[in-house]
Every structure is written in C-alpha cells, then in structure tokens.
Amino acid sequence: MKHSRTDMQSGIQVAADTVRAGGNPGKSPGNAAVPGRRGGLRRLPRPVYGHIDSQSNILIPRHHKHTWAQLSYATQGYLQVWTPDARFVALAQRAVWIPAGVTHQVRQSSHTVIRSLYLDADALGLDWPACRVLAVSPLLHELIRRFSTLPIEYDPDGPDGRLARVLVDQLAVSPDAGLILPWPTDPRLQSVCRQLQSHPDSALDLGAFSRRLGVSDKTLTRLFQRQTGLGFRLWRQRARLVHALPLLERGERITDVALACGYDSLSSFIAAFRAHTGVTPRAFAAGAREDDPPLPG
C-alpha cells in the first residue's frame, strides 16, 4: 500500500497531538508516555523516535519484541537480526525493518555502531508487515544520524518535525537490498541447516543429508524449496557468506576465509560474496572498520 506525503504528515501530527493530550491513537499503544533514557521504553514519545542514548541503540541480546516497528541501522560495521523465520544481514548502507510484534534478536560485532529508529507504522502509513532489509541512501543515512541527536520530545510543528517527515518520505521509497537467510520450521530441515551453519566448510552434498534423514533427494529438495524458498545449494552459499562476515571484519586473510567457508577457489568466493552483498570481501573488510564521521556541531 502506498501513502502520500500528506498522509505521513497527518500521521505525525495526529499522533503527536495525542501524545500531548495523553491519549492513545487508534490501536497503537506506542504514543502516550515519555520513556526513561535507559530505563526501558514503554511507549513512544513521538511517532518517529530515535535518540543516540535510547534503547534502540543499545544491544538487547535476548529475544524480544515491541509494540512498535523498529528500523535497525549500523552506521559503522554490520548487524544481523534473527527472527524465527530468517536471519537478516545488514551491511553498510543497509538497515533491517522489524514490524511490531515480531520476536527478534539483534546481533552485532564490537565495531558496530547502531543508530536505530522506533516508529508508529500505522500512523506513518508504512504498511510493511514482514521483516525486510532496505538500502539506505546517503541522504537517509544523514537524516538518521541527525535525527538521533534531536530532543526526545521534539516539536512536530517545527524544523525537527519537518525533518521527521522527510526521513519517513525517504524511508518509504527505500528499495529492498540485503542478505537474507530463511530459517525452516521443519525439525528435519532445521538439523540440516544447523549442520551447514556450524560447519560451512563441509563438503557434504544433498544426497548425504538425504541418506542421513532417510528421505529421497527429491523429498529433501522439495522441502528446502517449500520451507525456505531457496534450493539446497543457494541456501548453503548464503550460510557460508554469513559465516564469512565476522572473519573478514576481524581482518583474516581473504584466502583463509574462503577456505574456512568451503571454497576451493578464491575467485569463486569473491564472485559469490559480491553477488550477494554488492561489494568485494576486501571492500567489506575495509568498510567494516571505518569510523562513522562525527556530526557537525
């Protein structure tokens, strides 16, 4: 569903008016109380909320969920969002959209810097019911960083409110662009996927897993396609690339990473990595450690 700029402006204004009045707009419980900075966010103070010292920028290692939508964005490094259905990987210039009510866990490296947003998706007209990885344009990148420095209770009628509207406009037109590893629900297939994830250098083929499970190759092939939307080979390739990310970020040699991920050919590893991430392993390794430049004073 597409929404006009006027719809988004109205959503921001109506929700903000309700905050001031102490009420609850519609079915969303997220806009009635001002949270403590680190004491746990119970309700959103504004329909678009994100502060540099907010809960959205602090790693919550356990699985959890919110009554609002979340946009997790790493301005430095990369992050993974794990849900029961998939692993969503956001490299540079990408962010993960997490709808309200979705159980998730955010994983990050020691180099990662998160600048995330919490949003009242209903009020803003962002009709995205499932998790997705979005490309972050240079403009949206700067808007997210600047927004994290605004007062928590910014004036929706002033310059800060207009900044929020531009940010939502830019977010609404962001295309899908990410590395997603779907996770199956079938216990048999989960055991295969855990094996592939734990031992990315394994040379076991589909036939070996079929014999282990006592099913035919055709049955396992159909199961992979039905449960993950991917074939066995493509799923394993994505799992290997996800495994490669922390190794590259730590500065390990690309040849060693390729071998650790089951690739006999360095060129094939580089080609696969670039096809799924849009960058070479060397470029990723360099960018993962780049500092996010400070905001102008």
Side-chain angles (χ1 to χ4, degrees), residues 37-295:
R37 286 288 176 85
R38 293 184 183 271
L41 185 63
R42 296 189 306 276
R43 297 186 178 185
L44 297 185
R46 291 291 184 268
V48 184
Y49 167 73
H51 195 273
I52 198 168
D53 193 35
S54 72
Q55 181 177 338
S56 48
N57 296 323
I58 301 170
L59 180 64
I60 302 177
R62 67 182 185 279
H63 286 87
H64 61 287
K65 59 184 177 181
H66 311 293
T67 55
W68 46 76
Q70 177 178 341
L71 185 78
S72 287
Y73 176 52
T75 58
Q76 175 186 325
Y78 75 98
L79 60 85
Q80 296 185 42
V81 173
W82 287 31
T83 73
D85 298 324
R87 281 66 168 130
F88 300 86
V89 182
L91 276 62
Q93 287 82 54
R94 288 165 178 79
V96 182
W97 172 267
I98 308 167
V102 172
T103 300
H104 64 280
Q105 180 185 41
V106 179
R107 298 191 172 198
Q108 65 182 62
S109 71
S110 59
H111 300 286
T112 303
V113 176
I114 294 180
R115 294 289 177 264
S116 297
L117 302 174
Y118 289 159
L119 306 100
D120 183 343
D122 290 336
L124 300 173
L126 295 173
D127 188 19
W128 295 335
C131 288
R132 58 198 302 189
V133 183
L134 301 170
V136 175
S137 67
L139 175 57
L140 183 56
H141 169 87
E142 293 301 331
L143 287 168
I144 292 173
R145 293 178 66 238
R146 173 56 67 184
F147 194 83
S148 70
T149 67
L150 298 184
I152 290 177
E153 290 187 293
Y154 59 84
D155 181 5
D157 300 318
D160 295 342
R162 291 192 291 273
L163 181 69
R165 290 193 285 273
V166 174
L167 189 155
V168 173
D169 281 345
Q170 291 297 306
L171 179 60
V173 297
S174 297
D176 291 316
L179 182 58
I180 300 174
L181 188 66
W183 198 256
T185 57
D186 186 281
R188 296 169 298 173
L189 201 54
Q190 285 184 347
S191 69
V192 175
C193 291
R194 282 194 295 268
Q195 172 76 10
L196 294 174
Q197 196 172 45
S198 300
H199 304 281
D201 59 341
S202 172
L204 293 177
D205 59 10
L206 182 71
F209 287 106
S210 299
R211 291 188 293 273
R212 181 181 297 180
L213 294 174
V215 299
S216 67
D217 289 5
K218 287 185 177 180
T219 297
L220 191 55
T221 298
R222 287 196 297 267
L223 194 59
F224 249 105
Q225 192 65 45
R226 184 169 65 247
Q227 290 264 309
T228 70
L230 304 174
F232 171 83
R233 291 169 61 88
L234 182 55
W235 196 97
R236 179 167 65 178
Q237 184 180 66
R238 290 193 186 182
R240 286 174 165 175
L241 297 177
V242 170
H243 181 78
L245 298 178
L247 306 181
L248 292 168
E249 188 185 36
R250 288 201 299 264
E252 296 191 18
R253 292 197 321 147
I254 296 175
T255 300
D256 293 338
V257 175
L259 292 173
C261 293
Y263 284 88
D264 296 327
S265 166
L266 178 60
S267 61
S268 61
F269 170 68
I270 294 174
F273 192 93
R274 187 167 191 168
H276 285 275
T277 67
V279 296
T280 65
R282 188 179 303 279
F284 166 77
R289 289 175 171 269
E290 287 181 355
D291 291 333
D292 192 36
L295 288 165

Side-chain angles (χ1 to χ4, degrees), residues 11-25:
I12 291 175
Q13 185 58 56
V14 169
D17 289 344
T18 309
V19 173
R20 287 192 288 263
N24 190 336

